[in-house]
Amino acid sequence: MRQLADIPHPEAKITLFSWNGKYLIKLEKGPFEQTYKVSEMDVTSEDDVRALLDEEFVAAAVQRFTQMRQDLQAAFARHDL
């Protein structure tokens, strides 16, 4: 796996990788991460992948981190952990 870029964002760490014919978009916030795989056949360049990371996409991913945290906390609560 080859790291192509760190993409600055105030709410999440975003890293772009190239691996096995795919671009991987990895977003991290605290103990949570999301990875999106985009086939190199679906885009023409790394710039196309960066274009996918618009405000709407990143805002939805950040909201998903909130839901992930809530889901984990609920599971802990269900099992008295």
Side-chain angles (χ1 to χ4, degrees), residues 29-64:
K29 185 170 184 172
F32 303 105
E33 67 180 49
Q34 300 172 49
T35 302
Y36 297 85
K37 297 177 184 178
V38 178
S39 172
E40 290 178 354
M41 303 297 287
D42 292 338
V43 293
T44 59
S45 69
E46 181 182 327
D47 289 336
D48 287 349
V49 178
R50 288 174 177 262
L52 295 173
L53 298 172
D54 59 14
E55 262 185 64
E56 188 174 343
F57 179 88
V58 175
V62 169
Q63 180 61 37
R64 199 166 292 112

Side-chain angles (χ1 to χ4, degrees), residues 61-79:
V62 169
Q63 180 61 37
R64 199 166 292 112
F65 281 126
T66 301
Q67 186 62 50
M68 291 168 74
R69 184 179 335 99
Q70 291 170 351
D71 292 344
L72 183 59
Q73 288 172 338
F76 270 90
R78 282 192 306 276
H79 298 282

Side-chain angles (χ1 to χ4, degrees), residues 11-15 17 26-30 32-34 65:
E11 295 193 61
K13 178 181 178 188
I14 303 172
T15 310
F17 297 95
K26 182 176 176 182
L27 296 95
E28 299 174 79
K29 185 170 184 172
F32 303 105
E33 67 180 49
Q34 300 172 49
F65 281 126

